[in-house]
Amino acid sequence: MGLRPNLLTRRAAGVASTTLALLLSTAAVGVVPAVSAFSAAPGEVCAEPADVHSDARVKKGGIAEHEPNELTAAQVREREADLAIALRDRANHRAGAQAASPLAAVTIPVVVHVIQRDATRAGGNIPDSMITSQITVLNQAYSGATGGAATAFSFQLSKINRVTNPAWYPIVQGSSAERQMKTSLREGGKNTLNVYLGELSDDLLGWATFPQRKLNSMDGVVVLSESLPGGTAANYNQGDTGTHEVGHWLNLYHTFQGGCSGTGDSVGDTPAEASPAFECPTGRDTCTTAGLDPITNFMDYTYDSCMYQFTAGQASRMLTAWNAYRAA
Ligand SMILES: [Zn+2]
């Protein structure tokens, strides 16, 4: 545990590390055969459970090169309106002394479900050490230790639940099997982070649900097990898929949400970005509005070695959403 080996390269992400990452990527082709071996029928990747907004992270060149469930402008408006309602409800409850005061610091209990096909590593049997390293990565990212703003959140592993079930391996995004899996496994209240680890459909790195006013059994994050620190997913194996998906779970959009116009990702200090950034394109600037593209932000699509920060605006948005949706 401790600091990730290349924490320093994260701060100096540039041409050199990008080149290295590309070489590693070439050398690693075939290391994760199960990822490329699975492919879904065209069109299937855009399916989304109608009652749950979710968001994902994709690899460059993956089967699902476009976001399987990128939010539309209408869905963002709907979510922002819902946040306003949730905040008003909370304020009303507080006025009636039925709800606790807003929190400024939050420790999130984490239940990790390891979905396995069998007892082999290729069948999803990753060691506990990768999971505890992932918790360390979350705590570093959300405390600002990797170079970004400190957020209110810390994470405490409460349980590792190992489940062998070939019917859930891979975990297929938007499938009835995913619903069945989550319905039978999810633990805790709205404040409990349920993480489902396994092989994933469509070459995805992960996906997550946004907070909702009423607890939904689909609530949680799904993460490619080999994206955890020390995993085999080249360029995506330092645990930042977990960091990114938890960002969605805490109500963050992608930095490229909405492109160059409008309210973008609804955060004031993340410069607008026309489209996702991949690898580590230092100096990228896709909008005429102020600021370079936020390629080092955890909510973009760059390599793990390239992303290292949340902004103060994102930290504020997450805490507001916590108090609106997930606080007791
Ligand atoms: Zn995402």
Side-chain angles (χ1 to χ4, degrees):
M1 268 74 66
L3 295 181
R4 277 167 286 182
N6 67 345
L7 207 57
L8 288 174
T9 43
R10 288 171 169 263
R11 299 209 174 87
V15 175
S17 60
T18 306
T19 308
L20 175 63
L22 281 168
L23 288 170
L24 286 172
S25 170
T26 308
V29 165
V31 167
V32 212
V35 171
S36 48
F38 179 83
S39 67
E44 222 174 79
V45 292
C46 290
E48 178 186 345
D51 57 339
V52 183
H53 288 152
S54 59
D55 227 327
R57 186 183 183 207
V58 302
K59 290 181 214 171
K60 180 177 174 59
I63 294 163
E65 174 109 41
H66 77 112
E67 183 77 3
N69 36 32
E70 179 71 9
L71 296 188
T72 63
Q75 286 174 320
V76 168
R77 278 196 300 275
E78 190 185 315
R79 281 215 52 82
E80 294 308 293
D82 191 78
L83 176 59
I85 293 167
L87 286 169
R88 192 194 58 205
D89 287 354
R90 279 276 163 175
N92 288 343
H93 277 289
R94 267 181 217 115
Q98 292 165 330
S101 299
L103 299 169
V106 179
T107 300
I108 299 175
V110 184
V111 176
V112 176
H113 308 278
V114 184
I115 310 301
Q116 303 176 203
R117 182 181 58 208
D118 51 43
T120 67
R121 174 69 181 260
N125 186 14
I126 56 165
D128 285 0
S129 60
M130 285 172 68
I131 296 165
T132 52
S133 292
Q134 177 68 64
I135 299 293
T136 301
V137 165
L138 289 174
N139 280 317
Q140 289 175 343
Y142 283 83
S143 68
T146 56
T151 78
F153 302 100
S154 60
F155 301 84
Q156 190 162 42
L157 180 63
S158 59
K159 182 177 181 180
I160 297 176
N161 176 33
R162 292 184 178 272
V163 180
T164 301
N165 186 344
W168 295 340
Y169 197 94
I171 304 169
V172 179
Q173 199 259 340
S175 68
S176 56
E178 181 196 4
R179 177 170 294 278
Q180 187 189 49
M181 173 190 79
K182 288 180 168 178
T183 303
S184 62
L185 300 183
R186 197 190 184 287
E187 294 187 21
K190 289 198 287 185
N191 68 325
T192 302
L193 172 62
N194 279 251
V195 179
Y196 303 87
L197 302 176
E199 181 63 293
L200 307 186
S201 65
D202 312 315
D203 215 10
L204 288 166
L205 290 164
W207 62 88
T209 54
F210 290 105
Q212 294 185 289
R213 276 180 279 158
K214 205 163 170 239
L215 179 60
N216 188 305
S217 61
M218 296 297 282
D219 181 78
V221 308
V222 180
V223 174
L224 176 68
S225 53
E226 294 294 349
S227 77
L228 267 56
T232 58
N235 300 313
Y236 303 99
N237 59 357
Q238 295 173 39
D240 288 332
T241 294
T243 303
H244 175 107
E245 300 307 337
V246 172
H248 287 313
W249 188 78
L250 293 169
N251 212 35
L252 294 186
Y253 300 126
H254 292 129
T255 49
F256 48 88
Q257 178 67 48
C260 295
S261 59
T263 55
D265 62 356
S266 302
V267 172
D269 57 2
T270 50
E273 187 177 33
S275 59
F278 291 98
E279 302 177 352
C280 195
T282 304
R284 187 177 191 258
D285 191 7
T286 54
C287 296
T288 55
T289 46
L292 295 177
D293 292 1
I295 65 161
T296 60
N297 195 283
F298 287 121
M299 300 315 290
D300 206 338
Y301 274 178
T302 49
Y303 286 156
D304 283 13
S305 58
C306 188
M307 53 173 60
Y308 60 86
Q309 63 177 330
F310 291 115
T311 65
Q314 287 173 318
S316 170
R317 178 176 170 82
M318 288 189 275
L319 183 58
T320 297
W322 184 273
N323 283 305
Y325 288 112
R326 296 197 184 277

